[in-house]
């Protein structure tokens, strides 16, 4: 029986992952910047995480279109309830 660790560390899997990354980089014009918190972790919990939203809004990364506008609207709505 093959150990899963052998598969995960295999050259074949590494090459396949790199091929998928290459394709997504070439054909996906929109992607979340690495290290940026997910939309779900910012806006879909019990509380709106303004501390995570504000830096994303101010950075306005053009590679992830729409996120600034959506988070800004969430920020505006959160402000009504934060008082």
């Amino acid at each position: 029986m093959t150990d899963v660790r052998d598969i995960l560390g295999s050259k074949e899997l590494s090459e396949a992952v790199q091929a998928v990354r290459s394709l997504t980089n070439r054909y996906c014009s929109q992607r979340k910047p690495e290290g940026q918190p997910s939309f779900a972790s910012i806006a879909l919990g019990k509380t709106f995480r303004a501390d995570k939203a504000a830096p994303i809004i101010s950075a306005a990364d053009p590679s992830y279109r729409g996120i600034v506008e959506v988070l800004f609207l969430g920020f505006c709505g959160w402000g009504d309830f934060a008082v």
Side-chain angles (χ1 to χ4, degrees), residues 4-80:
V4 173
R5 287 176 284 197
D6 292 336
I7 296 170
L8 294 175
S10 72
K11 179 182 175 188
E12 294 87 354
L13 183 59
S14 178
E15 289 172 351
V17 168
Q18 185 56 42
V20 169
R21 280 188 183 142
S22 177
L23 286 170
T24 56
N25 287 339
R26 187 178 323 150
Y27 295 108
C28 294
S29 62
Q30 195 169 306
R31 70 188 78 105
K32 181 175 78 64
E34 197 170 315
Q36 179 177 302
S38 68
F39 174 77
S41 72
I42 297 169
L44 299 181
K46 290 185 178 191
T47 60
F48 180 76
R49 298 292 312 268
D51 60 322
K52 290 183 176 184
I56 296 168
I57 292 168
S58 66
D61 188 333
S63 68
Y64 196 32
R65 292 185 304 263
I67 192 68
V68 170
E69 294 81 0
V70 170
L71 289 178
F72 181 72
L73 291 172
F75 203 93
C76 292
W78 168 80
D80 289 342

